[in-house]
Amino acid sequence: MIDLLATRYYYLVTFLLLGVGAYMMIGNRNLVKKVIGMNIFQTGIFLFFIAAAYLEGASPPVLTAEAPHVSPLPHVLILTAIVVGVSLTAVALGLIVRIYADYGTLDAEVLWEVRHDD
Amino acid sequence: MTEIDSLRPLAAVLVSAVAIAPILASYRRPNLREGWTMLAALTTFGLVASMVPGVLAGDTYVTDFGTFVPGVESNVAFALRVDPLGLLFALLASTLWVITSLYSIGYMRGLNENDQTRYFAAFAGSVSAAVGVALADNLVVLFVFYELLTVATYPLVAHDQTDEARRAGRKYLAYTFGGGVAVLAGTLLVVWLTGTVDFSAGGIAALAEADPALARVAFALLVGGFGVKAALMPLHSWLPDAMVAPTPVSGLLHAVAVVKSGVFGIARVVLDVFGPETVGDLGMGLPLAAVAAFTLIAASIIALRQDNLKRRLAFSTVSQLSYIVLGLAVLHPRALTGGLLHIPAHAFMKLTLFFCATTSPRWRASASACPRRWSRSRLPRSGWRASRWSRASSASGTC
Amino acid sequence: MIDGLSGTMIVLVAVSALGVLSYARAAGPRSNPFYAAYLLLVAGLTGMSVTGDLFNLYVFLEITGLAAYVLVASDDSGRSAIAALRYLLIGTVGASLFLLGIGYAYIATGTLNMGDLATQIAEVGYTATLVQAAFAFVVVGLFIKVAIFPLHTWQPEAYASAPDSVSALISALVSTVSAYALVRVVYTAFTADFLEANPLAADLLGAAAAVSIVAGSLLAVAQSEVKRMLAYSSVAQFGLVVAAASLVNETAMIGAVVHLVGHALMKGSLFLAAGVVATATGARTVSEYDGLVDRLPVGAGAFGVLALAMVGVPPTLGFVGKWYIALGAVESGSWVLVVVIVASTLLTLAYFARLVERMFFRDPATALADEVGVAASEDEAEVVADGSDLGATDGVVTSGSDPATDGGDDAPSTDRVTFGMYAVVVVTAVLAVALGLAVFEYAEFLEPTITRLLTP
């Protein structure tokens, strides 16, 4: 078990990041921090993919480099996923700007109460 | 005995449904609106009546639209079929609709009721559904019209728009849709057991060989589901409450079309789905007979104690309906005949009684200003009709 | 990859989007961002429908999501912005879990093509931990997108606070296509054999569905806002679809597709009908619907018909879908699901009946009539064009309204429902009834696809 943890520690980090991200999204009252949590959560998954593609002692997936290469496909996938993540963050921040303009606060619980008073 | 492909069964169902549109459209002109109602009533009656000679000669009229939904082995067709039993019920509903329409017009106008257009539209829809119940060729189509009947009669129950009427309407919906769910579950079970839901005289053969426990469950679900509208105790309590509806509704629907559609459903289940023999073999005849017999007596006793005339009639209906169910449950040919004959017999009697019942409160209402015989509380002012009475008295003025 | 199933989805997306567009033309929001996001949404949904690759599915899922978040917030009110952000956070978690599941599937098999996955997973073994984990993450991720109880929390507020056209579009399509994606992934990538090898997975799907049906309906009964009620109703109805999908049965699967399409049509136009009602009378809560039929006969009538279709009164589309699903459940002998499915009629009735009763059998409250009469223009700005802020009354607010985005200030009367808006609602109401009779032909067309789907 210890051995597994020592050699596969990046998976451990992955799930640590997932946990931290999820906790931030749930536990934090600040909307911006929630969005940061979302980003950390996604980063955890990105790392998961990249770690899966990693091969001990392999070179980067470039034609000029020597074989064996690490698997290039997950890199490509994650590149796309990062783009998606960035646009999501942009939209989220845009919404947050609007919420702040409207309510003057970013505290989720206060906003929730305001909503219920409407 | 030949089968005749004909659009007449369909037309008989559709005429009154189609009539809803012009009835709604001519809401500004009551005379035209009532004209449409009468036209639809007479046309429906004519269509149904035109099939009588053929059916008496042993023919059956069939309208088949092809498959509606799939079954397990064979698909379920959307088909209408006119056989003697169905024709009896269809003829009854359409004949009495003509009479009731005439009565309704006078009643609604005389009492200056609200939402008369909705009333006539819903009435037309109810008759359409009732005829559909009568002419359905299989359990699924029967279920379709059974549910539509619920939907179409709900506006009539809640017609007064008082709290009481709405409560009665809610109760009505809950009971009848609950019954509908039971029918649906029973139908599914029958489909699963036999692969078909088509009615066949003497019952679906495969049901006799099916697992008896499941067959019993299916029977209980179907009879229980139809029993809601047939007001078998303990599923009857919507019916007295539904008497809050205008009298023609109580008369035609809650003494004839709706409640008899429940009885008719039970008849179909006993005669054409399970068949009397299978019902006997499953040992379901006796429990059904026991329930019917209990309802018969208990409802009569309750009726004795009702001060309100329409409620009394309602309990009498509950009781009389059980005669029919009892006739079916005894599983003897003569009892069957007796039970089925009681369908039209009770319909005519109860409809007339209802029509008389409202004439008296109306008369009494006008009489309340100058004391006559009725004001001596043979029908005490039990509140629930009070609003109507006072309205009636204002309509008819002082004497 | 186009087969009968994805073809159905494409047609549904195209037709619903067109219907909503013709409604939105008059009802707004008439902003450029709205139309841009609308097109993006349609593109994303179509992409989700046609793709045969898991990762592409993820990308299209996110594109759809992005467009949906923007659309929800397109009326510039604070309330919808909050709802959209909430939707965004939860939706992203859903999509991320889906991506994580894809990761597991990729590690296990080395492929992401659904057809290829089917064979590869069979080689790896259906009970391999990696495959099971992949399945779990993918399903949970999609459950969030479909809004199955208890992962539905984003959905009611998003539907309720979005502009009416958007609520209709999203309720009709986004969850529907996500549910399609669920079916596609479970049956094309993991195949029916996986469910057979892991009976627990199928059972859990069924259990989640059953809970969703019951809880969604109960929550719907408790709502006072009509659009929230309709939103919770969706939670219950998608429970029905997932229940059907969990059965591994041909009839039930056809039922799932029929119900998907039927629900999309009915729920979409119910939201449009609610929009018509709100536009014409300002009524948005259940109690404001009192006596609606006197004020708005056609709208109330269409709403009533659609509600009954949703309840599953035969012979409407709602009933036929339910019949297929229930028959499938009976065929595969899952009696608990049969009971829940059949009883769902009553549950649905519970929340629609009170609305129907109020619309048709109550006199309109006088207070409301006054309010509508006096505060007509103010009401209008808030309700129709969504130009004014809900938050404007709070005092905390600086300014959020953007007069350029819509016709919020050209709304002088309460009677701005155009013929086109009525036409969409009435036509779908008629379709919801009439299509019930045509389902069997469609089912025959669908059958080869379903057979192939269930027998890998």
Side-chain angles (χ1 to χ4, degrees):
Chain A
M1 186 69 193
I2 303 286
D3 195 39
L4 198 68
L5 285 183
T7 52
R8 300 283 172 87
Y9 57 88
Y10 32 79
Y11 287 115
L12 200 68
V13 175
T14 291
F15 281 90
L16 208 64
L17 285 175
L18 288 182
V20 170
Y23 178 77
M24 278 184 78
M25 287 170 76
I26 298 163
N28 253 307
R29 290 169 58 165
N30 188 311
L31 292 182
V32 177
K33 290 188 183 169
K34 276 180 191 284
V35 172
I36 295 174
M38 181 187 89
N39 272 312
I40 295 179
F41 190 85
Q42 287 189 310
T43 311
I45 294 169
F46 300 160
L47 185 68
F48 175 77
F49 267 80
I50 301 300
Y54 184 66
L55 215 60
E56 197 70 47
S59 52
V62 184
L63 275 179
T64 50
E66 278 174 33
H69 301 114
V70 299
S71 170
L73 185 64
H75 291 81
V76 180
L77 298 184
I78 290 313
L79 206 57
T80 318
I82 289 173
V83 174
V84 171
V86 168
S87 36
L88 279 171
T89 313
V91 172
L93 292 177
L95 290 171
I96 288 176
V97 169
R98 232 177 73 188
I99 292 170
Y100 190 74
D102 271 14
Y103 293 98
T105 176
L106 287 180
D107 188 317
E109 312 223 328
V110 175
L111 286 171
W112 196 237
E113 273 166 29
V114 171
R115 243 290 296 132
H116 276 263
D117 291 343
D118 279 353
Chain B
M1 183 169 159
T2 49
E3 280 196 6
I4 305 168
D5 269 330
S6 159
L7 284 177
R8 264 187 278 175
L10 176 74
V13 175
L14 274 191
V15 164
S16 42
V18 169
I20 294 175
I23 288 175
L24 286 177
S26 48
Y27 66 101
R28 284 181 204 280
R29 277 173 288 178
N31 287 338
L32 184 61
R33 181 185 67 202
E34 267 80 301
W36 286 114
T37 301
M38 287 311 297
L39 183 66
L42 289 171
T43 315
T44 308
F45 172 70
L47 280 166
V48 175
S50 73
M51 291 184 281
V52 171
V55 172
L56 285 181
D59 299 336
T60 47
Y61 295 87
V62 180
T63 314
D64 194 338
F65 279 103
T67 308
F68 176 43
V69 289
V72 172
E73 277 160 31
S74 59
N75 293 320
V76 180
F78 201 95
L80 299 167
R81 172 187 299 268
V82 186
D83 63 357
L85 181 57
L87 188 68
L88 172 73
F89 186 44
L91 193 62
L92 185 67
S94 57
T95 313
L96 294 182
W97 189 32
V98 178
I99 300 167
T100 313
S101 294
L102 283 173
Y103 185 90
S104 292
I105 296 166
Y107 180 91
M108 299 307 277
R109 294 189 175 185
L111 294 182
N112 203 10
E113 284 276 355
N114 58 311
D115 296 284
Q116 297 194 11
T117 305
R118 181 181 73 198
Y119 170 87
F120 283 108
F123 221 115
S126 309
V127 172
S128 169
V131 175
V133 166
L135 304 186
D137 184 35
N138 57 50
L139 259 180
V140 174
V141 178
L142 179 58
F143 172 73
V144 168
F145 286 110
Y146 188 73
E147 292 282 82
L148 285 178
L149 186 57
T150 303
V151 173
T153 45
Y154 168 68
L156 298 171
V157 176
H159 177 83
D160 266 3
Q161 307 201 169
T162 56
D163 276 338
E164 194 184 1
R166 278 193 292 271
R167 210 173 312 120
R170 272 198 293 274
K171 193 169 189 176
Y172 177 66
L173 270 192
Y175 269 78
T176 47
F177 264 104
V181 163
V183 171
L184 179 61
T187 308
L188 283 167
L189 209 53
V190 169
V191 173
W192 187 63
L193 289 173
T194 66
T196 177
V197 285
D198 291 341
F199 295 139
S200 53
I204 301 169
L207 261 178
E209 285 115 46
D211 180 1
L214 283 175
R216 282 192 193 103
V217 172
F219 185 81
L221 281 170
L222 285 171
V223 169
F226 287 120
V228 172
K229 278 206 179 127
L232 283 178
M233 279 185 177
L235 305 169
H236 69 286
S237 82
W238 62 270
L239 184 59
D241 286 2
M243 289 301 136
V244 68
T247 302
V249 176
S250 311
L252 183 62
L253 297 176
H254 299 129
V256 184
V258 172
V259 290
K260 297 252 156 57
S261 76
V263 172
F264 184 79
I266 295 180
R268 282 289 195 208
V269 170
V270 171
L271 299 177
D272 293 342
V273 176
F274 281 80
E277 269 183 37
T278 315
V279 174
D281 291 345
L282 292 171
M284 295 308 280
L286 191 60
L288 182 59
V291 171
F294 173 77
T295 309
L296 220 167
I297 295 169
S300 299
I301 293 172
I302 297 174
L304 283 176
R305 295 178 42 83
Q306 296 298 318
D307 285 336
N308 182 295
L309 194 49
K310 275 179 81 184
R311 277 185 84 84
R312 180 177 289 199
L313 288 178
F315 276 104
S316 155
T317 304
V318 174
S319 159
Q320 295 296 316
L321 288 172
S322 288
Y323 262 118
I324 308 171
V325 178
L326 187 62
L328 292 167
V330 167
L331 304 175
H332 186 278
R334 248 179 230 152
L336 284 178
T337 319
L340 294 178
L341 274 181
H342 202 53
I343 292 181
H346 171 251
F348 275 96
M349 291 186 283
K350 196 47 71 60
L351 188 67
T352 317
L353 276 171
F354 267 112
F355 286 174
C356 298
T358 341
T359 22
S360 36
R362 279 188 67 194
W363 178 57
R364 179 191 182 279
S366 54
S368 62
C370 34
R372 282 187 203 157
R373 197 180 52 181
W374 281 97
S375 59
R376 197 57 75 85
S377 254
R378 276 271 303 288
L379 292 159
R381 192 187 285 272
S382 55
W384 75 283
R385 290 291 296 182
S387 61
R388 162 106 6 94
W389 293 349
S390 54
R391 239 187 291 166
S393 66
S394 63
S396 52
T398 51
C399 54
Chain C
M1 182 174 71
I2 311 271
D3 59 6
L5 198 52
S6 47
T8 306
M9 284 300 135
I10 296 170
V11 172
L12 177 69
V13 168
V15 171
S16 317
L18 199 64
V20 171
L21 191 66
S22 62
Y23 179 92
R25 202 184 72 80
R30 291 200 203 89
S31 57
N32 286 344
F34 167 75
Y35 285 109
Y38 166 89
L39 288 174
L40 196 60
L41 185 78
V42 174
L45 291 169
T46 314
M48 276 175 77
S49 307
V50 296
T51 185
D53 180 280
L54 271 189
F55 190 77
N56 284 1
L57 183 57
Y58 164 75
V59 175
F60 284 121
L61 197 65
E62 285 288 44
I63 290 176
T64 307
L66 262 175
Y69 312 142
V70 173
L71 281 175
V72 167
S74 63
D75 72 342
D76 291 321
S77 74
R79 181 189 175 188
S80 65
I82 297 177
L85 186 67
R86 199 177 158 80
Y87 182 14
L88 188 149
L89 289 173
I90 300 176
T92 306
V93 170
S96 301
L97 289 177
F98 179 73
L99 183 62
L100 195 60
I102 294 177
Y104 275 105
Y106 179 69
I107 292 173
T109 61
T111 179
L112 286 174
N113 181 298
M114 291 192 207
D116 199 21
L117 262 173
T119 45
Q120 297 287 338
I121 287 180
E123 277 174 30
V124 174
Y126 292 113
T127 49
T129 317
L130 275 177
V131 175
Q132 285 173 335
F135 181 82
F137 279 120
V138 164
V139 166
V140 171
L142 285 175
F143 268 12
I144 292 181
K145 288 286 185 183
V146 179
I148 294 295
F149 184 89
L151 306 171
H152 68 283
T153 49
W154 58 269
Q155 186 242 36
E157 190 56 25
Y159 285 10
S161 68
D164 299 318
S165 326
V166 173
S167 309
L169 188 61
I170 294 185
S171 67
L173 295 180
V174 173
S175 289
T176 307
V177 178
S178 303
Y180 155 81
L182 182 70
V183 170
R184 174 62 77 198
V185 172
V186 168
Y187 283 98
T188 304
F190 286 91
T191 70
D193 289 343
F194 175 85
L195 290 178
E196 204 168 300
N198 298 284
L200 184 65
D203 288 349
L204 284 179
L205 278 180
V211 170
S212 198
I213 294 172
V214 176
S217 304
L218 293 181
L219 285 167
V221 176
Q223 301 306 313
S224 58
E225 201 179 333
V226 172
K227 280 172 78 180
R228 281 182 79 89
M229 188 195 89
L230 294 176
Y232 277 110
S233 153
S234 283
V235 174
Q237 300 300 325
F238 278 105
L240 217 52
V241 172
V242 173
S246 75
L247 287 169
V248 201
N249 174 288
E250 222 169 276
T251 321
M253 191 58 87
I254 293 174
V257 179
V258 171
H259 200 64
L260 265 184
V261 175
H263 172 267
L265 280 184
M266 291 183 282
K267 191 53 67 64
S269 43
L270 272 171
F271 271 108
L272 291 183
V276 168
V277 171
T279 310
T281 67
R284 286 204 168 268
T285 63
V286 173
S287 56
E288 283 171 350
Y289 270 52
D290 282 5
L292 189 67
V293 69
D294 296 333
R295 288 176 279 163
L296 197 69
V298 177
F303 199 106
V305 169
L306 287 165
L308 289 175
M310 202 79 233
V311 169
V313 172
T316 58
L317 212 45
F319 164 74
V320 181
K322 214 170 271 186
W323 170 269
Y324 275 88
I325 297 175
L327 189 63
V330 168
E331 278 172 6
S332 33
S334 10
W335 299 108
V336 179
L337 278 185
V338 176
V339 171
V340 173
I341 291 163
V342 172
S344 73
T345 307
L346 284 182
L347 292 169
T348 317
L349 185 71
Y351 52 84
F352 275 127
R354 62 182 187 139
L355 205 57
V356 168
E357 182 190 295
R358 279 174 180 278
M359 284 197 296
F360 292 96
F361 305 106
R362 248 177 223 275
D363 299 320
T366 44
L368 177 76
D370 288 345
E371 187 202 318
V372 169
V374 175
S377 55
E378 187 192 287
D379 214 17
E380 193 62 18
E382 176 181 306
V383 153
V384 189
D386 302 297
S388 82
D389 280 300
L390 285 175
T393 46
D394 288 335
V396 201
V397 180
T398 52
S399 163
S401 63
D402 178 6
T405 51
D406 54 53
D409 29 16
D410 60 18
S413 78
T414 49
D415 196 16
R416 264 193 43 203
V417 183
T418 61
F419 175 75
M421 288 160 75
Y422 271 128
V424 176
V425 173
V426 171
V427 165
T428 31
V430 171
L431 277 182
V433 177
L435 284 183
L437 299 171
V439 165
F440 188 76
E441 273 78 49
Y442 169 69
E444 279 184 338
F445 154 77
L446 198 63
E447 213 170 312
T449 308
I450 301 290
T451 312
R452 211 168 335 113
L453 200 64
L454 295 186
T455 48

